[in-house]
Structures are given as C-alpha cells and as structure tokens.
Amino acid sequence: MNIDIREAQAGDAALIHAFIVELAIYEKAEHEVIASAADIERSLFEAGTPARALICEADGEPVGYAVYFLSYSTWLGRKGMYLEDLYVSPKHRGSGAGKRLLRHLARLAFDSGCGRLEWSVLDWNEPAIQFYQSLGASPQAEWVRYRMAGDTLRDFAQGANNTSQARPTC
C-alpha cells in the first residue's frame, strides 16, 4: 500500500467535513458538529486563517486527515504546533496511515522550529492512547483543559454576571 500525505486544498472541504462527522460519530459526539462543508472551506482556506489541514491517501484514496495550527509556549519562548484532529477511517487503521500522518506533522513542527507538538485525546479512547504512547508521546495528566463556548462565551465576553461569585485563592 502506498501512503501519501498532502496539503489539503479548498476542494477538499467536503471530504474534510465528511471525515469530521465520522470522527464525531466515533467519539459519540455527532450532535456537536455544527460546521458545514462551507464553514470548513472558509475557516481552513481563506487568506489569513491560522489553521491548516493535511489529507492522507492510501493508493490514491483519501483515508484520513489532520487539522493543526501553531500555538506558543512562554516557557519555551518558541512556537508550538497543536493538532486539533487526526483521523484515519476504520478500514485503514493498522495500515501505518496514522503513524505516517503524525510523523509528517512532527516533521513540519520540527522543521519550522516548533518546540512541541501537542494534542488531546478522550480518556476512554484506549486504542488512540496506546497508539500515541507506542510512539513515545506522554500524557500531561497534571493539566486540566478548560473551555468556554456558546452562550457561556458570549455572556462572559459581554460582561454578563451569571457566573458564581467564587473568589480566587491567590
């Protein structure tokens, strides 16, 4: 099997969207996907967008994708790369496609001077955890990821005071 990795193009937006939906189904979160193929095309391929995408092909057939963007570490004083999505279709798992895709990303990160490549994985996704650990990646268990989204993000940004009155401990 010949595995190739290429930069995604605007014409790949519908394909990427289909992979996003497949990934969301696997992660039991299909209901959370609100992006359309047009949203993907705009957010990944318009001028100035911070995100990039790769397409993984096996014998010319698209079998997976990755979406990533640059981040920054004040502790390293260097940029980093954050992997938002890495997905290989179920029938191609175990073929080496995921490893090739991740190695390609690692090469991009290293060659562009990034000090780290980071991503998140669901705590129940044991196959992914085992895969990442087999490559030498390690979990950062001491860090807890937080998120503001939707109404909470809007309300907080607009100064709404509907959050608890907890006082900082510092």
Side-chain angles (χ1 to χ4, degrees):
M1 177 182 314
N2 186 30
I3 297 172
D4 294 305
I5 311 296
R6 64 174 176 81
E7 291 287 326
Q9 305 296 319
D12 294 315
L15 171 65
I16 293 168
H17 183 264
F19 280 140
I20 289 168
V21 171
E22 283 182 33
L23 174 59
I25 291 168
Y26 175 75
E27 292 182 346
K28 302 173 181 99
E30 181 181 11
H31 63 283
E32 293 183 36
V33 177
I34 61 171
S36 67
D39 293 328
I40 299 304
E41 182 173 358
R42 185 184 66 260
S43 64
L44 286 178
F45 302 108
E46 278 187 354
T49 183
R52 301 283 181 262
L54 301 171
I55 300 293
C56 180
E57 297 177 333
D59 296 329
E61 174 191 351
V63 299
Y65 80 107
V67 171
Y68 65 96
F69 57 89
L70 295 181
S71 59
Y72 182 77
S73 169
T74 56
W75 290 8
L76 296 178
R78 296 170 70 177
K79 63 185 170 184
M81 182 181 286
Y82 188 83
L83 175 58
E84 178 67 21
D85 285 351
L86 179 104
Y87 178 76
V88 173
S89 61
K91 76 177 194 173
H92 289 93
R93 292 182 190 152
S95 69
K99 186 175 184 177
R100 288 282 303 276
L101 195 48
L102 197 55
R103 187 179 309 277
H104 187 91
L105 287 158
R107 201 172 298 122
L108 286 174
F110 181 80
D111 290 349
S112 67
C114 292
R116 58 175 62 144
L117 170 60
E118 296 181 302
W119 61 91
S120 298
V121 61
L122 291 166
D123 60 3
W124 57 260
N125 192 346
E126 197 58 38
I129 292 168
Q130 288 179 11
F131 169 65
Y132 296 138
Q133 289 180 343
S134 76
L135 302 176
S138 56
Q140 301 297 300
E142 67 275 13
W143 293 94
V144 177
R145 187 173 170 174
Y146 281 83
R147 175 181 294 163
M148 266 191 215
D151 293 343
T152 302
L153 177 61
R154 182 200 64 227
D155 292 349
F156 185 73
Q158 294 176 348
N161 195 10
N162 61 356
T163 58
S164 71
Q165 296 296 319
R167 295 187 181 254
T169 58
C170 54

